[in-house]
Amino acid sequence: MNNNNITSQMALNFTYRPSLGRDDFMVASSNLAATTAIDLWPNWLYFAICIYGSSGCGKTHLANVFAQNVASLTHHPYRIPFIQASSLTLEQAHDMFSLSPYIVIEDLQNLHNQEALFHLYNTYRDLGGNILFTCNQAPARLNFSLPDLRSRLNIVPIYEISAPDDQLLMALLLKLFNDRQITPSSELLNYILKNMQRSFSYARKLVEEIDNISLSRKRAVSIVIAKEAMSVLNSDRQFSLL
């Protein structure tokens, strides 16, 4: 097998561990309300809240901060459950509270079993638990077919993470590079900020593509590599639909 192919394949399989602590989350006007809501726990006005926004905006990061707050303030012996809404079952709904009175339900827009969420919601409300929902839009816009579930979700306080401004995008880019042990130049960051699509998900995918190209070619990250990475993403029609 060609050695260059081996190098490229290894680079594409490279993984990294993002920093998901409270101090690693960049607070800006676009996410201030959501961040404040997370920091207010356990003094929420309602037993549940929902944070919503576009892909990659920081919902899961804030959910991890919530989990850390639970561990810190309650001495919870293990990480609280994170459940994808698409995989929620009736069995989980009946048993989950006995495992943990605190839970995160991610990607509410992908919910399949509405009855399961209805039972889970009622259990945590009635027994004094807490639920953090994440979603790509406000729950009121999801138009669930189960009226009782829809009315209950409409009561849940919602906090939007809106599109990032230049300051937040710059901070996000710097964090994404740092998570991969890359120190970008100011020239590179300014070039990316000036030419990138204005979204969290694009920023994350772009830094990943830059890193992959740099690793596969054993070249330092540069504006030339950033241009190529942008070209790859901009030609990816599937990504443009995210």
Side-chain angles (χ1 to χ4, degrees):
M1 182 180 292
N2 187 289
N3 288 336
N4 289 334
N5 290 337
I6 295 176
T7 302
S8 297
Q9 189 172 19
M10 289 177 64
L12 291 174
N13 290 332
F14 178 77
T15 59
Y16 75 103
R17 182 182 297 275
S19 301
L20 295 175
R22 177 63 178 83
D23 292 340
D24 301 301
F25 189 81
M26 289 84 67
V27 180
S29 58
S30 59
N31 59 36
L32 180 58
T35 307
T36 301
I38 291 296
D39 289 342
L40 280 175
W41 185 89
N43 299 312
W44 288 350
L45 296 178
Y46 198 55
F47 82 99
I49 67 170
C50 178
I51 293 175
Y52 73 97
S54 61
S55 174
C57 69
K59 301 186 295 293
T60 296
H61 192 148
L62 281 179
N64 276 276
V65 173
F66 169 64
Q68 293 166 13
N69 288 348
V70 169
S72 174
L73 296 177
T74 68
H75 304 291
H76 208 263
Y78 54 86
R79 177 179 167 85
I80 68 173
F82 278 55
I83 297 179
Q84 286 292 322
S86 59
S87 66
L88 183 64
T89 66
L90 267 174
E91 183 179 2
Q92 285 178 313
H94 289 303
D95 298 339
M96 189 56 63
F97 190 87
S98 62
L99 297 177
S100 174
Y102 316 103
I103 190 172
V104 175
I105 303 293
E106 293 200 278
D107 296 322
L108 188 59
Q109 73 278 0
N110 296 329
L111 179 69
H112 296 310
N113 195 326
Q114 296 182 35
E115 185 180 357
L117 184 59
F118 177 74
H119 285 293
L120 187 77
Y121 183 107
N122 288 343
T123 298
Y124 275 72
R125 180 197 60 189
D126 296 343
L127 297 182
N130 290 123
I131 304 177
L132 170 61
F133 295 104
T134 70
C135 192
N136 67 359
Q137 58 185 310
R141 302 186 61 185
L142 296 178
N143 295 319
F144 289 132
S145 60
L146 190 62
D148 287 341
L149 174 61
R150 189 168 62 245
S151 64
R152 281 163 171 74
L153 289 175
N154 286 342
I155 299 173
V156 173
I158 58 175
Y159 302 92
E160 180 183 12
I161 300 180
S162 57
D165 56 21
D166 282 359
Q167 183 179 7
L168 181 56
L169 273 178
M170 181 68 81
L172 175 61
L173 287 168
L174 186 58
K175 178 187 182 300
L176 292 172
F177 278 119
N178 287 341
D179 282 345
R180 294 172 178 271
Q181 290 77 53
I182 298 171
T183 303
S185 67
S186 58
E187 291 79 12
L188 174 63
L189 290 172
N190 287 327
Y191 173 84
I192 293 174
L193 188 63
K194 182 178 179 180
N195 293 280
M196 68 180 289
Q197 293 181 20
R198 318 295 291 179
S199 73
F200 297 100
S201 57
Y202 185 89
R204 294 178 188 278
K205 191 65 178 178
L206 178 60
V207 172
E208 178 184 3
E209 188 67 27
I210 289 172
D211 193 20
N212 285 339
I213 294 173
S214 172
L215 287 169
S216 66
R217 298 187 182 166
K218 296 183 178 180
R219 293 170 51 194
V221 169
S222 65
I223 290 177
V224 171
I225 288 179
K227 287 181 180 179
E228 182 176 348
M230 286 183 182
S231 178
V232 170
L233 295 188
N234 293 343
S235 65
D236 186 345
R237 296 183 64 183
Q238 182 177 2
F239 175 76
S240 68
L241 296 176
L242 292 179

